[in-house]
Amino acid sequence: MKKMNKTIAAVSVLAMTALPIAAFAQTQPAGTIQPISAQIQPESKVVPATMGLITEFQNDQSGKFITVTGRGLAATDQSEIILSITKDTKIIDAKGKTVPLKTVIDEKRVVKAFYGPNITKSLPARGTLLTLVVQDYTFTAVDGTVDSLSKAGFLVKGTDIYSGDDQEIILRVGEQTKLLDQNGNPVTEDEIQSGMTLRAFYGPEVMESFPVQAVASYIRVNTEIAEENEAEQEAPGTDGIITSYSDGKMTVVGHPLEQGGTNYIILSVDDATQIVDEEGNVLNKEALKEGAYVQALYPQVMIMIYPAQSHADKIIVRKGEAPKVEGTIEASDFAGEGKVYVNVGSDSVKENDIVLNLSDDTVIIPVIGGDTVLKPGMKITAFHSMVMALSMPGITNAEVILVQEDPSVSLPE
């Protein structure tokens, strides 16, 4: 009897424990119960994201879009991206509360924009916004170059990425500053050098000084720039004027750099040639115009002919252009020591003739077998300063003179 009572009691306990399980199963939709092995949570996938400010908003027949400009949360994420807003897009704060998009834009709140992995290869890239997590603060950022280092921090000169205004700021590295190189690897403050380019985020608090000062929250610095600068300081080059450019061949006449070079060189320009302005912005080959001021860098090895020939590794295009004239040097009362009179066009018209001032900075390239003394009868091509005296004839400073024909030089038959 006791044995039967124990059996009944055990069955009753099992039945009682089974009741909540059965009740729970009844409340679930069909097909939701899975094997235990299938209920193990998979590893979370990393969703690409951009952190920054909304710099553009579009709402028209094509849809609703925002442009987020800032930095990628991961090294491979976009620093700027255009994202479409759909009915499934969530715009929330850090606590999950919905935030009106207008408030985010008006208050210039920092956002973390998470988007799907399928993005275009355009610049900027385009994708679909999944979730916009709105922060309770704002900041600004600068794209620039480290100008100098001091105990106060490092002076950066560049451009505010949001306003487009020129920016000059002393940045300091604090305990919470995230400092990475171009590959997303951590670096130390000691590794920052003058000449390095960077994108830094700071604020909204800044010290009102001149220049202003702030503690950076995030810095992405290109440490390879220092190596490039060292290589450029050792590379030979010519600082001068483009006297001709066609079919991938560019002639530069000017002054050799301190580390080496020549005053007259023909350079081949191809896709491997880096072409930039003085700020380091990339230019295309259309910037290589006749009369343009440039600094051309090339390898040590040059084809030993006259003029020398080599490959243009880097061309820095400077501001301004030198006007070009062609004509014949003539004897004139306007000429004298350090001056030559040029009959522009080698014709009878005198209104367009000019007087060229010669100086130690004037580069004169003679014909083969000739010398650098300019004499009447020589046909020349000259590049001169844009500043010209309003006189008759006009007077300006000669920068480059190429002697095309010298009657005193007889060429071998």
Side-chain angles (χ1 to χ4, degrees):
M1 181 71 180
K2 290 181 178 180
K3 190 173 183 180
M4 183 178 294
N5 289 339
K6 288 181 179 180
T7 302
I8 293 171
V11 171
S12 300
V13 170
L14 288 172
M16 291 174 66
T17 55
L19 282 173
I21 296 174
F24 175 78
Q26 290 175 3
T27 62
Q28 301 303 306
T32 58
I33 300 178
Q34 301 176 354
I36 292 177
S37 60
Q39 295 178 15
I40 299 175
Q41 293 294 325
E43 294 184 6
S44 59
K45 295 182 179 179
V46 178
V47 180
T50 299
M51 183 175 183
L53 301 182
I54 297 175
T55 53
E56 197 168 329
F57 174 66
Q58 174 186 340
N59 186 12
D60 53 28
Q61 293 180 348
S62 62
K64 187 182 294 186
F65 303 88
I66 60 171
T67 300
V68 180
T69 304
R71 64 177 178 87
L73 286 189
T76 55
D77 295 341
Q78 304 295 309
S79 59
E80 184 173 51
I81 189 167
I82 300 173
L83 296 168
S84 64
I85 300 174
T86 69
K87 59 181 180 61
D88 297 321
T89 299
K90 296 180 180 178
I91 303 176
I92 57 176
D93 62 16
K95 296 180 180 180
K97 183 180 177 181
T98 300
V99 181
L101 182 59
K102 187 178 186 300
T103 300
V104 181
I105 297 173
D106 291 346
E107 297 181 1
K108 297 182 179 179
R109 304 266 285 278
V110 174
V111 298
K112 292 181 181 178
F114 295 87
Y115 43 90
N118 297 324
I119 60 175
T120 65
K121 294 183 179 180
S122 58
L123 288 176
R126 303 178 73 98
T128 301
L129 179 62
L130 303 178
T131 303
L132 194 72
V133 181
V134 183
Q135 311 301 303
D136 59 357
Y137 61 91
T138 188
F139 58 31
T140 191
V142 59
D143 274 340
T145 302
V146 179
D147 183 77
S148 60
L149 305 172
S150 67
K151 292 182 180 180
F154 43 93
L155 176 63
V156 176
K157 294 182 179 180
T159 305
D160 187 305
I161 70 171
Y162 297 117
S163 69
D165 296 334
D166 292 339
Q167 180 68 286
E168 191 169 325
I169 184 171
I170 295 176
L171 292 175
R172 299 194 302 277
V173 176
E175 293 181 359
Q176 303 300 320
T177 303
K178 193 171 184 179
L179 186 54
L180 306 174
D181 67 10
Q182 65 279 1
N183 300 314
N185 301 317
V187 294
T188 64
E189 183 179 1
D190 294 337
E191 295 178 68
I192 297 178
Q193 301 177 26
S194 297
M196 289 183 175
T197 58
L198 54 74
R199 171 170 286 194
F201 294 81
Y202 61 92
E205 294 83 12
V206 296
M207 183 183 297
E208 293 297 334
S209 58
F210 184 79
V212 296
Q213 301 182 39
V215 176
S217 57
Y218 178 96
I219 300 174
R220 189 73 174 266
V221 60
N222 187 352
T223 57
E224 292 179 348
I225 293 296
E227 299 175 2
E228 293 176 4
N229 288 343
E230 290 176 4
E232 288 181 13
Q233 290 172 3
E234 298 175 358
T238 303
D239 193 350
I241 295 171
I242 298 176
T243 59
S244 67
Y245 177 65
S246 64
D247 298 328
K249 295 288 185 179
M250 179 181 72
T251 301
V252 179
V253 179
H255 299 278
L257 301 182
E258 291 184 5
Q259 61 266 28
T262 180
N263 65 350
Y264 184 23
I265 188 168
I266 298 174
L267 297 168
S268 60
V269 179
D270 54 27
D271 292 339
T273 302
Q274 184 182 5
I275 307 172
V276 298
D277 63 15
E278 293 175 287
E279 306 299 327
N281 301 308
V282 177
L283 303 174
N284 56 35
K285 294 178 183 178
E286 293 178 357
L288 305 180
K289 301 176 182 178
E290 187 179 74
Y293 293 100
V294 298
Q295 184 178 96
L297 304 177
Y298 38 84
Q300 290 282 357
V301 179
M302 295 183 290
I303 300 174
M304 300 309 295
I305 59 175
Y306 184 82
Q309 296 188 28
S310 186
H311 174 267
D313 290 340
K314 183 174 183 178
I315 303 170
I316 303 171
V317 181
R318 297 191 279 115
K319 294 179 180 178
E321 292 183 15
K324 168 187 171 182
V325 294
E326 294 180 311
T328 304
I329 296 176
E330 291 184 354
S332 171
D333 293 339
F334 294 103
E337 186 176 354
K339 296 181 179 181
V340 293
Y341 180 94
V342 181
N343 177 353
V344 176
S346 303
D347 52 25
S348 59
V349 178
K350 299 300 180 183
E351 286 77 8
N352 61 347
D353 293 351
I354 63 173
V355 173
L356 295 176
N357 292 325
L358 308 178
S359 69
D360 292 339
D361 291 329
T362 304
V363 180
I364 301 174
I365 305 297
V367 295
I368 297 176
D371 57 35
T372 57
V373 178
L374 299 177
K375 295 169 285 190
M378 286 182 173
K379 293 186 181 299
I380 65 168
T381 297
F383 294 84
H384 60 80
S385 168
M386 294 188 68
V387 179
M388 181 175 292
L390 296 177
S391 58
M392 187 64 72
I395 303 173
T396 186
N397 297 326
E399 301 196 24
V400 169
I401 296 177
L402 304 172
V403 179
Q404 306 294 352
E405 183 181 329
D406 184 353
S408 65
V409 176
S410 57
L411 298 178
E413 297 180 358

